[in-house]
Amino acid sequence: MQIESTTGAATPPAGQGTRGQRLLAVGFVGTYPPTPCGIATFTASLRQGMGLRRSGVVALVDEPGAVCFGAEVVAELVRGSAASLEAAAAALDEFDVVVLQHEFGIYGGEDGSEVVTLVRRLKVPMIVV
């Protein structure tokens, strides 16, 4: 159902843009291309396939700046770096929802415990894959 505006132009239904794009802004957390990893490929494909108006990625890395990412990467979560964890959480809180990819071995800390710290820090809803 479309609603007529006072100017006579059709207004898209709630939740949709003028070209059918979803207005939801989604942050993604995981490894990301060009990192050679199945999760990186999945994260990039999911982000692209969702056709979002606004999205961003927090890429998991071992060293800051070691990988040349595209502009869609809004922050790097560096293993063992409390400062990067805070920066990543702040960046993710700017989205409506976060899709967090999990696999043992991609997060820092003992047994990947840094993922728990990140989850506790986030204020927005999240989906864990």
Side-chain angles (χ1 to χ4, degrees), residues 13-35:
Q16 289 190 357
T18 56
R19 295 181 179 236
Q21 292 178 318
R22 294 175 192 94
L23 297 179
L24 190 67
V26 180
F28 295 86
V29 182
T31 55
Y32 199 74
T35 302

Side-chain angles (χ1 to χ4, degrees), residues 4-55:
E4 292 293 320
S5 73
T6 56
T7 63
T11 302
Q16 289 190 357
T18 56
R19 295 181 179 236
Q21 292 178 318
R22 294 175 192 94
L23 297 179
L24 190 67
V26 180
F28 295 86
V29 182
T31 55
Y32 199 74
T35 302
C37 171
I39 288 183
T41 302
F42 180 81
T43 303
S45 295
L46 180 61
R47 182 184 159 273
Q48 182 179 19
M50 289 180 74
L52 299 162
R53 172 186 60 86
R54 188 169 76 86
S55 66

Side-chain angles (χ1 to χ4, degrees), residues 92-104:
L92 291 167
D93 277 339
E94 295 297 316
F95 295 96
D96 298 317
V97 65
V98 169
V99 176
L100 185 138
Q101 306 290 325
H102 182 270
E103 182 178 72
F104 291 100

Side-chain angles (χ1 to χ4, degrees), residues 35-124:
T35 302
C37 171
I39 288 183
T41 302
F42 180 81
T43 303
S45 295
L46 180 61
R47 182 184 159 273
Q48 182 179 19
M50 289 180 74
L52 299 162
R53 172 186 60 86
R54 188 169 76 86
S55 66
V57 177
V58 168
L60 304 174
V61 297
D62 292 327
E63 296 178 35
V67 179
C68 184
F69 293 110
E72 67 274 21
V73 174
V74 297
E76 292 181 331
L77 180 53
V78 182
R79 285 175 178 263
S81 169
S84 78
L85 192 141
E86 286 301 314
L92 291 167
D93 277 339
E94 295 297 316
F95 295 96
D96 298 317
V97 65
V98 169
V99 176
L100 185 138
Q101 306 290 325
H102 182 270
E103 182 178 72
F104 291 100
I106 64 172
Y107 291 89
E110 186 175 338
D111 296 326
S113 63
E114 288 178 5
V115 70
V116 175
T117 305
L118 177 64
V119 166
R120 286 183 178 155
R121 168 64 177 74
L122 293 177
K123 296 177 180 130
V124 295

